[in-house]
Each structure stands twice: as C-alpha cells, then as structure tokens.
Amino acid sequence: MPRLVMKFGGTSVANLDRIRRVAKRVGVEVAKGYDVIVVVSAMSGKTNELVGWVGETGAFFDAREYDAVVSSAENVTAGLLALTLQENGIDARSWQGWQVPVQTNSAHSSARIGAIPSDNLDAKFRQGMRVAVVAGFQGISPEGRITTLGRGGSDTTAVAFAAAFDAERCDIYTDVDGVYTTDPRITSKARKLDRIAFEEMLELASLGAKVLQTRSVELAMRYKVKLRVLSSFEEMSDDAGTLVCDEEDIMESNVVAGVAFSRDEAKMTLVSVADRPGVSAAIFGPLAEAGVNVDMIVQNIAEDGRTDMTFSLPVDQVAHAEKAVRDAMAREEINFHDLIADEGVSKVSVVGIGMRSHAGVAARMFKALSAEGINIKVITTSEIKISVLIDRKYMELAVQALHDTFELEKI
Ligand code: ADP
Ligand code: ASP
Ligand code: MG
C-alpha cells in the first residue's frame, strides 16, 4: 500500500480534543488506502516545562539525562493518539524512537539521524497495522542512550521517515496554513506562499523561521521528499498549504521570497587583537570547542598591527563564549585589550533565489532600514540572502519595513 507521513506539532496535539481531531484526519488518509506513519510532537508547552526542570537541577547537567527527560513528552502524545485511533477502530500502535529504531549519532540534544531500518515497521504493516504513531524528536545512540534532535526536531523525524519508507508525501501539520512571506505573528500583511524552493526554505529556516527545522529541509532536499506544510485546523484538501519543491517547479519566483528574523542574538567584539596569521584560528577554535555557534564575523581594518574582531552568536551562549576567549588569553594564545558584549541585538534577513539574477536588493534593503532610522551593526550576504544585525527594539519594525519595501503582500 502507498505510504504517507503526517506530522503534527505541539499546538495540534495540545489536548485530548485536538488529538481526537488529529485521529480523524489520519482516519481520512487511512480510508483512502494509505498506510500512515504519524509523527507527533509533545503537547504544546510540555518540552519547555521539562527543559526548565532539567535546568533547575544545576547549571552543568549530564546531556544524556537531559535527553532522557526532554524526549519523554513525545511518548505521551504517541500513546494517546494510538489509543484514540484504536478507539476509532483503526489498527494503530505507538513507537518510541528506540523501538523503531531511529539510529542517531551521540551528539546529545542535537543528534543527527544516521539510519532508520524499516524492518520492524514493515513487518507490522504486513500484519495489518495501518498507522504507526512515532514519537518525534528522539532516537537512540550507538551506545544505546536516548538522544534528541534539537528543538523543533519532530519535523526532521517526519522527513527522515518519509525518506526511509519511501512515502508518497510528508505532510507537516501545524498552527499556520503554510509557509508565509514572514512570520504572520509579526505582520498581518504576511502572505502564504503556494510554493517555495528548497533552497529558500533552507535559508529561511536557518535564519530563524521556525515553521520547519532546518535539518528537515536539508533531508527533504537530499532525498527528494515531497514536503508540504499545512494547517491542522482547516478543512483538508489536496492543494492546501505550501509545497516545498525544486526551484524548477516554480513558474516565476519573486526576487525576495521572505523575511526571517532571529530575535535573541548577541554581538561580541574583541578590541585590539594582533593582526597576524593564525589569530582568527586562535579565537574561533576555542569558541567552536566550547560549542558556541558563531554566525557573522567582521574584522576591521588593521592599524599598527592590531585590529578589532566582531562576531555574532546566540545570546544564551555569551557566558560560554566569554569564558572560552578569556581562557585562551590566559593560555597566551590570544591577546586583546577589551571584550565588549552587546546582548540586545537581533538578526533580520531577506531571502530569495531571484537575488542571483537581480542587482540592487542590498541597496533597497539598507535604504528601507535607514528610512526608519534603524542603524545596521553588521551585514553578511550570500548568493540568495542578506542579513543584518540591528538593535532588538527595532526588530519588528525592520521586518515590517522590509516586507513593505519588497512588496511581499502582493505575492
Ligand atoms: P509546531 O509546533 O507545529 O512544530 P512551530 O511553532 O514550531 O509549530 O512552527 C509554527 C510557527 O512558526 C508559526 O506559528 C509561526 O509563528 C512561525 N513562523 C515563523 N516564520 C514563519 C513563516 N515564514 N511562515 C509561517 N510560519 C512561520
Ligand atoms: N517537542 C520538541 C520541541 O518542542 C520537538 C518538536 O516539537 O518538534 O522542540
Ligand atoms: Mg516546530
């Protein structure tokens, strides 16, 4: 029988009523003749609660136990949905990651899926199981420990199952009816896109649009999974939502497809470091070892053999980053006169494959920000995106201004 993967996020399974609605949706696909793999998230708010409890046990906790605790909320949803489906007369059972098994590496709290052997599920489908309800976000390491895939990781579980089981489609059901030109919570002018290219979606996700986890888009792109984002609260229809697809499958694309943002960023400057070969490696090596996700990097023009080095990072990693560079200084690997951390910045980005063939996008972007009196602190660009770091208090204003400038409400 053809296979389908359906993934339901936290708000879609927030209580038993919603789980019943999910079961109905799944039932519709089963009635069409699909064997369904349903991937579920934790009920909304549950993962945050568990993360909070782990944090309260101490500042430096065992990452393996963090995963053991934080993964557990998905188990509850999987069991409840399986029970509800059974109640509706559908042959369904729940599967925790280790039971499938979802094999990952040992990078606790941000593990990557290596393989999903299909034998166990296949055997059950052959025996008549119609729905496998899989707990998203979790897997098992080679050491036999429970792992999690990073926040938002159920999306990645879903796409990985679609690839491993050769599903006809992977439907990501969420609380919005598709991928928008920007987060609809920021502006009512945001418009739903009928289609978006994998590469654009990849950039939007990695630049902060949490509607899909970045890794899920990477996997879908690599394994050619037909990926759709749609609402679990609206009527079902075959052309609902947004299809994430190859660039070639989009007739005409806009220069800018969307605006993304990442609210909680920080900017760190090492003032007056020596300007000589090896200095960047001496700074960013220890930062990488400390697990700091450095994003933008700017080195100023050198004067008298010394320069300032500025970089951006998530705001909750500032303490780790400070320790890493100060320790490197104590070991005399680097030397700087001062360290300035600005914890009040956000990153705003515009993304679009049309930028490859259109000049002037950066100029339009900078002009729009300057018209609002917003100062740009750091800029980075790639082939299909431009990102700026600005004061956090202007973030919403910047997103709205850019949405207007690139006329995204007309899409
Ligand atoms: P789920 O719990 O279903 O996984 P998430 O909260 O992880 O849902 O993702 C959905 C949310 O992503 C939306 O409610 C929306 O606020 C946010 N979002 C951010 N950027 C976008 C975008 N460009 N298009 C749609 N939603 C977006
Ligand atoms: N429950 C996990 C989280 O909140 C995974 C997910 O929802 O995708 O991050
Ligand atoms: Mg999510």
Side-chain angles (χ1 to χ4, degrees):
M1 277 196 223
R3 302 251 165 96
L4 197 65
V5 172
M6 306 170 79
K7 179 258 172 179
F8 294 89
T11 34
S12 311
V13 292
N15 53 46
L16 279 176
D17 254 358
R18 292 196 182 165
I19 290 179
R20 284 189 201 104
R21 290 173 58 169
V22 165
K24 272 204 188 133
R25 267 174 204 274
V26 176
V28 170
E29 303 293 8
V30 171
K32 282 187 203 160
Y34 288 106
D35 276 348
V36 183
I37 298 172
V38 183
V39 173
V40 287
S41 289
M43 292 162 136
S44 61
K46 292 292 175 200
T47 310
N48 285 346
E49 185 178 32
L50 297 175
V51 170
W53 287 345
V54 170
E56 282 177 37
T57 65
F60 293 98
F61 43 77
D62 180 343
R64 292 164 299 189
E65 299 306 343
Y66 167 96
D67 278 353
V69 174
V70 167
S71 62
S72 65
E74 268 68 11
N75 300 342
V76 176
T77 333
L80 289 174
L81 179 58
L83 285 168
T84 313
L85 287 162
Q86 289 173 6
E87 212 35 54
N88 294 354
I90 295 173
D91 189 336
R93 69 156 273 194
S94 67
W95 296 81
Q96 296 182 9
W98 65 272
Q99 294 173 309
V100 175
V102 178
Q103 296 169 347
T104 73
N105 64 10
S106 310
H108 284 277
S109 82
S110 56
R112 289 166 82 95
I113 298 175
I116 305 180
S118 61
D119 321 23
N120 285 343
L121 257 65
D122 279 344
K124 290 288 175 195
F125 277 127
R126 274 197 302 273
Q127 289 165 22
M129 176 180 72
R130 297 303 310 281
V131 182
V133 187
V134 172
F137 180 52
Q138 50 175 260
I140 184 165
S141 72
E143 294 78 30
R145 302 298 302 259
I146 304 297
T147 53
T148 61
L149 309 178
R151 298 306 303 272
S154 298
D155 298 331
T156 302
T157 307
V159 175
F161 271 83
F165 288 85
D166 210 12
E168 198 174 289
R169 213 172 56 233
C170 180
D171 285 342
I172 306 283
Y173 285 90
T174 183
D175 57 0
V176 278
D177 60 349
V179 178
Y180 276 66
T181 48
T182 193
D183 189 338
R185 289 175 207 224
I186 298 288
T187 168
S188 56
K189 292 184 187 166
R191 291 287 172 269
K192 184 178 82 79
L193 299 159
D194 291 332
R195 286 172 182 238
I196 184 163
F198 280 118
E199 282 182 57
E200 289 172 328
M201 192 61 241
L202 196 57
E203 287 283 9
L204 286 175
S206 70
L207 293 166
K210 71 166 186 165
V211 62
L212 286 174
Q213 199 198 32
T214 310
R215 185 89 185 108
S216 72
V217 188
E218 267 170 25
L219 281 184
M221 198 165 159
R222 168 135 40 104
Y223 293 102
K224 303 211 170 303
V225 172
K226 193 168 175 198
L227 182 62
R228 197 161 67 129
V229 177
L230 66 172
S231 166
S232 62
F233 300 98
E234 293 189 354
E235 287 295 305
M236 285 176 94
S237 87
D238 282 346
D239 57 357
T242 301
L243 190 67
V244 189
C245 59
D246 283 329
E247 201 178 321
E248 294 76 40
D249 297 333
I250 300 180
M251 290 284 274
E252 213 181 334
S253 58
N254 254 50
V255 181
V256 170
V259 183
F261 55 86
S262 167
R263 186 183 302 272
D264 297 318
E265 297 287 315
K267 177 169 80 82
M268 210 172 237
T269 303
L270 300 187
V271 180
S272 189
V273 293
D275 182 34
R276 56 173 170 72
V279 166
S280 296
I283 294 171
F284 294 107
L287 284 169
E289 273 162 38
V292 176
N293 298 318
V294 171
D295 178 20
M296 306 163 141
I297 300 176
V298 188
Q299 184 180 336
N300 286 10
I301 290 189
E303 260 181 62
D304 307 328
R306 301 195 76 83
T307 182
D308 296 343
M309 188 76 87
T310 297
F311 54 91
S312 71
L313 67 166
V315 76
D316 58 4
Q317 294 181 357
V318 166
H320 275 89
E322 259 196 72
K323 183 170 180 325
V325 289
R326 289 204 192 279
D327 287 353
M329 176 126 116
R331 293 192 302 268
E332 297 185 6
E333 292 164 12
I334 54 172
N335 180 286
F336 52 87
H337 288 174
D338 201 2
L339 188 160
I340 303 168
D342 178 352
E343 299 191 25
V345 293
S346 297
K347 181 171 62 174
V348 177
S349 314
V350 297
V351 172
I353 41 184
M355 278 186 215
R356 287 196 200 118
S357 49
H358 282 81
V361 176
R364 273 170 80 187
M365 178 176 187
F366 303 154
K367 205 169 152 202
L369 295 173
S370 95
E372 298 292 345
I374 300 171
N375 188 31
I376 300 171
K377 298 178 172 230
V378 180
I379 302 169
T380 53
T381 64
S382 79
E383 204 188 11
I384 65 163
K385 74 120 203 276
I386 304 164
S387 298
V388 296
L389 219 54
I390 58 171
D391 273 335
R392 192 170 302 139
K393 63 179 180 224
Y394 296 126
M395 194 200 80
E396 275 89 356
L397 180 63
V399 171
Q400 286 155 2
L402 295 173
H403 202 272
D404 284 347
T405 288
F406 292 103
E407 302 188 323
L408 298 181
E409 80 279 9
K410 292 188 185 155
I411 277 184

